[in-house]
Amino acid sequence: MRGNSTSTTTTHQPVRASAAAFVGTMIEWYDFYIYATAAALVFGKLFFPSADGFYGTLASLGTFAVGFFARPLGGALFGHIGDRIGRKKSLVITMLMMGLVTIFIGLLPTYNSIGIWAPVLLVLLRVVQGIAVGGEWGGAVLMAGEHSPDKNKRAFFASFAQLGSPAGLILSTVMFKIMTGMGDDVFLSWGWRVPFLFSAVLLVVGFTIRLSVNESPDFVAEREAQSKRQRADKAPLLEVLTGAPGLLALAVGANVLGIAGFYFTNTFMIAYTTQYLHMSRAVILDCLLVVSIMQFCITPLSAWIAYRIGNIRFLAVTAFVSLFTPYAMFTLVDKGTLPAITTGVGIAVLFMSAFYAVIAGYVSDCFPTRIRYTGISMAYQLSGAIFGGLTPLLGTILAEKFKGDWLPLALLFTIISLLSLVSVLGLNAKRRQGSAALQFGSNQA
């Protein structure tokens, strides 16, 4: 009887791990996105009141960027924990950190109450939030992918962790739509705090689900193999940085479209449409809600198509098409109507999110199990620190400098897409030569 129970539990673990990865990352990204939305809509007025208009928005988005700069630290710290102690333990810690910080932000006094300490505390909490997110993503991807019963389906199972991103955005957008619908006075007074405080409820749900999943089978097997080796391995971060720095650089570049492209359409476009095109917050939030639902549906479909036609072919095509989508996006957004804006942003997000759905599983297979958590976390978080946090800032600067001309903004999106296209093709070349994961193995021989 016990054997049957164990067998059933093992059989159900891939589905349970995928579900836990989805729910866990949904909660983590919900926390992250409500900060991004608040930074674009309200933080400039509440925490930087002396810097009006462009400079207030720039200061607010600057605190958003700070979280990205902290993410590589989280990737290194929790990558080490995940590779040496366990994926599951690392993920439980990151969720607790993220949830508590989000609640604290919701309780934070504004500049009018405590003066300069308000933005100082906001930045400090944002740093902790960035560290938590830095350790979350890689572990969630691995827990889903490494529970896959078929290695060829790892990218498909890993896509469930990617599915948490649009789900978190949908939930955060709905919360802000409800709060902004109460009027500016209510929203600026206390309404903006509600989405942050709601994270307490999500934290309880996430913990319950995440604790029900077994440790990654790949990690358990690697830990057993390590116990039989006569010498100690290098620290995971040191091995990643010295084993194949070219591979790490390509992995960083491959993630740019999914990260920088996303914050271009879902963070910068809020500030661009409300401040430079003078559209109402309700219109752009309605647009992002529809686009987020579309992205949620696209993610599993994209992973399935990539499994059928090949990951590299799928990634190359979606990155190539993304070179041209921003020109259609801005042409339609300039029309100012909800259908036109939604269609324009939706075109860019369609191919960008399809790329994002598959890239995590593809990159993770470049690194061996013993350093995989650290490898993919550092690749993703360095990409976020360099390109993700700076993209809304650079977009705002370009929009201010070239008022009424969106061509420089479209070129920025094209450059983002081109960098990922070149990097993905470079990764594929390394894999075909057998010099990616194998190069690490040679260092251990």
Side-chain angles (χ1 to χ4, degrees):
M1 186 72 176
R2 180 177 296 178
N4 292 338
S5 176
T6 302
S7 176
T8 301
T9 301
T10 302
T11 301
H12 291 168
Q13 276 298 307
V15 175
R16 188 176 298 175
S18 298
F22 161 62
V23 175
T25 53
M26 178 190 72
I27 296 170
E28 296 279 353
W29 286 114
Y30 166 80
D31 290 349
F32 207 71
Y33 290 148
I34 57 175
Y35 189 101
T37 305
L41 291 180
V42 73
F43 279 172
K45 298 177 182 178
L46 297 179
F47 291 92
F48 304 94
S50 59
D52 295 329
F54 164 68
Y55 293 103
T57 300
L58 203 62
S60 180
L61 290 176
T63 68
F64 178 68
V66 165
F68 281 94
F69 299 142
R71 283 164 67 163
L73 175 60
L77 173 63
F78 290 104
H80 185 91
I81 294 172
D83 283 326
R84 287 294 177 85
I85 301 175
R87 312 327 195 190
K88 181 176 178 178
K89 292 182 178 65
S90 181
L91 288 172
V92 168
I93 297 171
T94 58
M95 176 170 285
L96 179 62
M97 286 176 60
M98 190 76 176
L100 291 179
V101 166
T102 304
I103 295 168
F104 290 154
I105 292 175
L107 298 172
L108 192 64
T110 63
Y111 188 93
N112 288 338
S113 298
I114 59 174
I116 191 63
W117 283 105
V120 169
L121 291 173
L122 181 66
V123 170
L124 289 176
L125 289 172
R126 176 64 177 161
V127 168
V128 178
Q129 190 182 55
I131 292 173
V133 172
E136 162 67 24
W137 178 86
V141 167
L142 293 188
M143 282 293 279
E146 290 181 348
H147 272 91
S148 170
D150 181 353
K151 186 175 181 179
N152 293 327
K153 292 183 178 180
R154 278 193 174 181
F156 175 78
F157 277 85
S159 72
F160 283 88
Q162 305 293 69
L163 194 61
S165 177
L169 182 58
I170 292 169
L171 187 56
S172 68
T173 304
V174 169
M175 291 296 293
F176 270 98
K177 273 187 59 63
I178 294 172
M179 293 300 106
T180 55
M182 295 183 176
D184 286 347
D185 291 341
V186 172
F187 181 64
L188 291 173
S189 176
W190 58 265
W192 69 270
R193 299 181 183 274
V194 175
F196 289 89
L197 298 178
F198 182 67
S199 184
V201 178
L202 300 179
L203 182 61
V204 175
V205 176
F207 252 93
T208 302
I209 296 175
R210 186 154 280 180
L211 290 173
S212 70
V213 181
N214 294 340
E215 183 56 88
S216 156
D218 284 21
F219 173 79
V220 173
E222 178 61 28
R223 185 169 54 184
E224 293 174 354
Q226 286 179 356
S227 66
K228 296 177 182 178
R229 290 200 284 267
Q230 298 299 315
R231 55 175 174 73
D233 292 326
K234 292 180 181 178
L237 179 61
L238 181 61
E239 189 174 350
V240 168
L241 294 177
T242 61
L247 171 64
L248 179 60
L250 287 172
V252 169
N255 279 293
V256 171
L257 177 57
I259 299 174
F262 185 87
Y263 288 109
F264 188 102
T265 58
N266 292 275
T267 300
F268 165 70
M269 289 301 289
I270 295 177
Y272 175 73
T273 54
T274 55
Q275 296 191 26
Y276 293 95
L277 300 184
H278 306 293
M279 299 178 186
S280 70
R281 287 194 299 256
V283 170
I284 188 61
L285 288 177
D286 283 340
C287 162
L288 291 180
L289 178 58
V290 173
V291 170
S292 300
I293 295 172
M294 180 191 75
Q295 184 183 359
F296 184 86
C297 298
I298 288 170
T299 299
L301 178 61
S302 299
W304 181 82
I305 294 173
Y307 170 68
R308 302 296 298 179
I309 70 173
N311 292 330
I312 183 59
R313 183 180 301 173
F314 185 85
L315 290 169
V317 168
T318 52
F320 178 76
V321 175
S322 293
L323 295 172
F324 309 100
T325 56
Y327 306 95
M329 175 175 68
F330 280 104
T331 298
L332 290 168
V333 166
D334 266 2
K335 295 183 180 300
T337 64
L338 179 59
I341 297 171
T342 304
T343 302
V345 176
I347 290 172
V349 171
L350 172 64
F351 294 95
M352 179 192 69
S353 60
F355 179 91
Y356 180 74
V358 180
I359 192 62
Y362 184 77
V363 171
S364 68
D365 272 349
C366 294
F367 297 92
T369 304
R370 66 180 175 276
I371 57 169
R372 188 174 291 153
Y373 199 138
T374 302
I376 67 169
S377 293
M378 292 306 298
Y380 189 84
Q381 305 313 337
L382 285 172
S383 184
I386 299 170
F387 301 100
L390 293 179
T391 294
L393 283 174
L394 183 56
T396 301
I397 293 171
L398 290 174
E400 180 72 13
K401 183 175 178 61
F402 300 97
K403 287 183 178 179
D405 184 5
W406 52 257
L407 183 59
L409 297 171
L411 289 172
L412 173 61
F413 195 97
T414 294
I415 292 171
I416 288 170
S417 304
L418 180 61
L419 181 55
S420 278
L421 174 60
V422 172
S423 298
V424 164
L425 295 177
L427 277 178
N428 183 58
K430 276 189 171 291
R431 291 166 68 98
R432 290 172 67 89
Q433 295 166 4
S435 60
L438 292 180
Q439 184 167 346
F440 286 99
S442 65
N443 292 337
Q444 296 296 316

